[in-house]
Amino acid sequence: MRVSIESSWKTVLKGEFEKPHFKQLVLHLKTEKEQGKTIYPLGKFIFNAFDSTPFEKVKLVILGQDPYHGPGQAHGLSFSVPSGMATPPSLQNIFKELQHDIGMPLPETGDLSAWARQGVFLLNASLTVRAAEPMSHAQIGWALFTDAVIKVLSEKRKHLVFLLWGKFAKEKSHLIDSTKHKILTAAHPSPLSAHNGFFGCRHFSTANQYLVQNGIDPIDWKL
């Protein structure tokens, strides 16, 4: 796998791509492909979150676990699907909370690229997955890389908002300096847990209030 990533990220992550665990990760992906395994997303989309939101443009981070594992769903942005794809259940619940929180009409698309272009960094902890096998790449080294990404955002930026939904995401809070950034936690938007604290969290309006208070343009959540 040739690492092609937006230049500002390549600068701040200098050295990460040379570490043994990342080289091993690349070898693992190459081996699986040689074995005929289908991996999502397509190679050109693996670093889509980085390419869509340069380092200095990040205002807010939404952390997911791993890419969608169905055909055509994953395109490198957490919770997002390409235009024309059916909106997955967790994303439907995100839209319902947006409607409740800020009165946003339910979108006709599940493509969150417009958020990414405004500074919403849609990061998955694992950037790849085997087809039809959720979390299949959770232990191959991606977490070491994406933890480093969260750390560098915490260290080198200020006044970011981190939306951590569900137990997995909340466990990343120790990587973030809460004296410099706003951390908002809630249940995961999955249908299995959304009623346990995701619905009613009002994270979207709260995030924008924090950004405005710190002189940063708010996110236009409408799609």
Side-chain angles (χ1 to χ4, degrees):
M1 181 182 75
R2 184 172 60 87
V3 177
S4 177
I5 189 171
E6 192 274 334
S7 60
S8 66
W9 283 106
K10 189 167 279 189
T11 299
V12 296
L13 295 172
K14 187 179 179 181
E16 286 299 317
F17 301 110
E18 299 303 318
K19 289 185 176 178
H21 66 80
F22 194 88
K23 291 183 176 181
Q24 187 62 36
L25 185 159
V26 172
L27 179 61
H28 185 106
L29 294 175
K30 183 179 178 183
T31 301
E32 284 200 5
K33 285 203 165 190
E34 289 172 351
Q35 292 171 345
K37 302 279 175 60
T38 299
I39 296 173
Y40 297 132
L42 295 174
K44 65 181 180 179
F45 291 127
I46 290 175
F47 293 102
N48 192 18
F50 301 81
D51 296 335
S52 299
T53 315
F55 180 74
E56 293 297 337
K57 299 288 188 183
V58 175
K59 300 177 182 179
L60 183 148
V61 180
I62 298 180
L63 183 65
Q65 272 189 276
D66 69 338
Y68 295 118
H69 54 271
Q73 290 182 301
H75 67 147
L77 304 176
S78 64
F79 293 102
S80 180
V81 290
S83 183
M85 293 294 297
T87 304
S90 291
L91 184 54
Q92 289 179 29
N93 286 338
I94 290 171
F95 289 160
K96 287 177 184 176
E97 175 58 22
L98 270 161
Q99 186 178 50
H100 173 262
D101 186 7
I102 65 168
M104 186 184 90
L106 293 175
E108 296 182 1
T109 180
D111 186 348
L112 306 182
S113 298
W115 292 0
R117 289 192 293 270
Q118 293 182 72
V120 180
F121 186 46
L122 296 163
L123 177 67
N124 278 314
S126 295
L127 300 189
T128 58
V129 68
R130 281 196 302 272
E133 296 183 48
M135 301 302 292
S136 49
H137 285 171
Q139 303 299 326
I140 69 170
W142 278 126
L144 293 169
F145 174 73
T146 53
D147 280 2
V149 171
I150 295 169
K151 285 179 184 175
V152 78
L153 280 166
S154 177
E155 291 168 4
K156 295 183 178 294
R157 296 292 311 281
K158 61 181 180 179
H159 304 315
L160 301 182
V161 182
F162 290 83
L163 303 188
L164 306 181
W165 299 331
K167 181 175 182 289
F168 175 87
K170 291 175 188 175
E171 288 174 350
K172 302 293 184 179
S173 61
H174 73 280
L175 302 170
I176 305 160
D177 184 346
S178 60
T179 68
K180 294 170 58 183
H181 307 286
K182 183 78 167 177
I183 302 173
L184 298 174
T185 64
H188 195 277
S190 160
L192 299 175
S193 57
H195 290 280
N196 293 328
F198 179 76
F199 288 139
C201 69
R202 305 190 77 93
H203 278 183
F204 304 98
S205 60
T206 303
N208 272 348
Q209 288 167 8
Y210 176 82
L211 293 174
V212 170
Q213 286 167 3
N214 287 283
I216 302 165
D217 288 339
I219 305 298
D220 180 359
W221 296 107
K222 294 182 178 63
L223 293 169

